[in-house]
Amino acid sequence: MSDLSARLRALLVDEPTLREVSMFGGRAFMVNGKIIVSALKDGNLLVRVSAEKHDELLLQPGAVPAEMGAGRSMGPGWITIKSETIADTGSLSGWVAAAMAHNRTITGV
């Protein structure tokens, strides 16, 4: 988790309202008071995206519906990305960009 957290910090370094909290069994990153991503203990990434883009984004490699325990879906807009598919910076930054795009729409910033 710490390597993923460090990589996320590097990608989000220019966000003026970045805050980190322990949440969802990992290290959540919040911008403008809203969660955008969380580095999970197992190395996977939890991403908050637009519910309207949920199904489209699930077609991406390594993307699965996020669960809050076995069989308990977190619902549209919450996606887990398998660690092996975000090993490179380009893939990780693409998911962060999708989360930030949603963040900007819900916070108006």
Side-chain angles (χ1 to χ4, degrees), residues 12-21 28-36 100 103-104 107-109:
L12 296 165
V13 69
D14 293 329
E15 288 299 325
T17 61
L18 180 66
R19 187 167 66 108
E20 294 182 38
V21 295
F29 291 78
M30 301 177 76
V31 173
N32 301 316
K34 305 286 184 189
I35 184 171
I36 57 164
M100 284 303 304
N103 179 274
R104 303 271 190 247
T107 61
V109 177

Side-chain angles (χ1 to χ4, degrees), residues 1-14:
M1 177 174 65
S2 61
D3 178 52
L4 180 54
S5 293
R7 292 173 61 210
L8 289 167
R9 270 185 217 103
L11 288 172
L12 296 165
V13 69
D14 293 329

Side-chain angles (χ1 to χ4, degrees), residues 73-88:
S73 173
M74 290 181 69
W78 294 96
I79 298 176
T80 296
I81 314 304
K82 300 294 183 181
S83 60
E84 59 272 9
T85 60
I86 52 168
D88 65 275

